[in-house]
Every structure is written in structure tokens, then in C-alpha cells.
Amino acid sequence: MTALRRSPATLAGSVVLVVLAGVAALAYVGLLPYDPIAQNPPARFQPPSGGHLFGTDQFGRDVFSRVAAGVGNSALIAVVAVAFATVIGTLGGIVSGFYRGWADGAIGGVTNVLFAFPPLLLALSLAAVLDRNWFTIAVTIAIVYVPIFIRVTRGPVLSLREIEYVKAAVATGQSRWQIMLRHVLPNITSIIVVQVALSLSWAVLTEASLSFLGLGTPPPAPSLGSMIFEARSLVFVAPWTLVAPGVVVVLLVVGLNLLGDGLRDTLDPRNRGRRS
């Protein structure tokens, strides 16, 4: 924890994420000032004020409440997607690197096929054929990022399987699964943690992109990407409807990237001697 506090990037990212998490928590506990989907035509296009912190949109909906709910929805989708990708991708990478042979060939083949498609194009293709709800969007994003976790974990596992204590564990008769869980997985945890932080930022951006293109969470559920899309035609009439969700997306992505960069610098063994 001391090393984390010494990292300016980690501190900056953590502060941004804590603030946004607090905003999203307001939506989950029902403490938003207004219903994010309730329309109020007489209050349409009101600029930011004490009554409406981020103003109102073309339907009189409170933009702050919608942004808060949108952050919560984006965070939920990103966390579920990255959780799936982490579990499946890490398991696949460990099996591929440790077993080698036909398992490595099969997993590597699937990984290469998924890597052949640009991430956003693959996400668009999958989202177009699945039912539109938050869970299917999360699964879509997870499929896109599984091969990244496979590649990230496979390389270190190839090196770890040749280390003496792993060979000693094999010689003592421990099963391969015991070796992978007790000796291999703990030694790649720092790599996985950093990849999770970075993947969360990409997942948020992917979810916002899908929503912007009309393939994200269906309305009336608030989504940062769909809010930006709806506000395009209002930029000269009510610019706050575009600025608020746009700035929040940037802050969320930048905060997660800063946290990931800080964790990478902190957990990198090559930097430990420099900090001591």
C-alpha cells in the first residue's frame, strides 16, 4: 500500500474512480435527485443550475441523474465482462502454457481467430446477433477480451514451468492442477491485476461505443454512449447534454488507465530496487 501511495498515477486514478463510484452508488441506492428516465417537458433544455446540476435534456430529464445511472450501468457491464474474460482467459493461458501440445495448439488457434478481427468490429458483430440487454453486452465484450488474457498469461507460464521449484513439485508427484493453482497462478497474479485494470477501461470504452452505435443497452435505460449520440443534434441548443456524458466517459477511461499504469509500475519487480 505504501508503494501505491507513492505513485502519482495510481493516486490520481484512484481519486477519479472513487468520485465516479460515489456518483454511481447514488443511482443504486435510490438517492438521485430525479428519476433518470422520467420525462418533464416543461423543464426541457434548462441549463446547469442548483436545481439541475448538469441541466436537462430535450425531454426535461435531469442530465446529472442520467449520467449517474449511466456510469453505474457502464461499470456493471465492464466489471462483469472483465470478470468473465479474466477467469476464462487466465485459465486458458495457464493450460496452454503449462500443458503445451494439443491443448496449446487448440487454444492458440481459437485465440488467433479472435485476434484476426478488430476488437470493436468483433464486438459489433456479436452484439448484432444477440438479444440486447446488459448481460449479453457484457458477454459480448468478454469474448472480445478473452484472447488478451490468454496471451498475457501464457508467456509467463511458459517460463514458470521451467523453474526449479515447479519441476520439484512435479517430481514429488503433485498433480498438474495442484501445481498450476499453488505455484503458477500466484506468481502471475500481479500481471493479471494490471491487465484487469487496463481491460476495464477498454471495456467501458467498448460499451460506450456500442451504445453510441445503437447496439448497447436498449432505452430507456441510461447509457453514456447513447446519451452522447442523442446529444449530437443538440450541441448548439443545449451543449451540456453532450459535454456532461462525454467528460464522464473520458474521466472514467483515463482514471482506469492511470490506475492500471500505476499498478504496472508498482508491481513491476524491476522497479522495486528504485523505490527502496
Side-chain angles (χ1 to χ4, degrees), residues 198-237:
L198 295 175
S199 295
L200 282 172
S201 68
W202 302 337
V204 168
L205 195 57
T206 302
E207 187 276 333
S209 300
L210 291 175
S211 296
F212 181 85
L213 296 172
L215 293 173
T217 306
S223 173
L224 297 175
S226 60
M227 291 179 65
I228 294 174
F229 178 81
E230 293 174 357
R232 292 180 310 146
S233 59
L234 306 175
V235 64
F236 296 111
V237 178

Side-chain angles (χ1 to χ4, degrees), residues 109-273:
V110 173
T111 301
N112 291 334
V113 169
L114 292 176
F115 267 128
F117 297 90
L120 184 57
L121 178 61
L122 179 58
L124 285 170
S125 302
L126 294 172
V129 299
L130 296 175
D131 292 334
R132 289 176 56 197
N133 58 65
W134 74 268
F135 185 75
T136 57
I137 299 302
V139 171
T140 296
I141 297 173
I143 294 173
V144 173
Y145 292 113
V146 162
I148 296 176
F149 281 91
I150 292 176
R151 285 284 177 87
V152 165
T153 56
R154 179 181 177 274
V157 171
L158 287 173
S159 300
L160 286 170
R161 71 192 298 269
E162 303 299 332
I163 292 180
E164 293 300 326
Y165 64 81
V166 174
K167 292 182 177 180
V170 174
T172 58
Q174 295 185 35
S175 69
R176 291 188 176 184
W177 281 103
Q178 287 178 321
I179 295 171
M180 286 189 291
L181 295 177
R182 294 180 181 177
H183 303 291
V184 175
L185 182 59
N187 284 282
I188 62 173
T189 301
S190 60
I191 299 173
I192 297 172
V193 169
V194 174
Q195 187 60 45
V196 165
L198 295 175
S199 295
L200 282 172
S201 68
W202 302 337
V204 168
L205 195 57
T206 302
E207 187 276 333
S209 300
L210 291 175
S211 296
F212 181 85
L213 296 172
L215 293 173
T217 306
S223 173
L224 297 175
S226 60
M227 291 179 65
I228 294 174
F229 178 81
E230 293 174 357
R232 292 180 310 146
S233 59
L234 306 175
V235 64
F236 296 111
V237 178
W240 54 86
T241 59
L242 177 64
V243 171
V247 169
V248 169
V249 169
V250 171
L251 288 176
L252 191 54
V253 173
V254 170
L256 287 167
N257 273 319
L258 288 175
L259 181 60
D261 289 342
L263 288 173
R264 180 182 57 198
D265 295 339
T266 300
L267 299 175
D268 189 346
R270 293 172 297 182
N271 294 332
R272 292 174 183 171

Side-chain angles (χ1 to χ4, degrees), residues 11-32:
L11 284 174
S14 299
V15 169
V16 171
L17 294 178
V18 167
V19 172
L20 292 178
V23 171
L26 295 176
Y28 280 111
V29 299
L31 294 179
L32 293 176

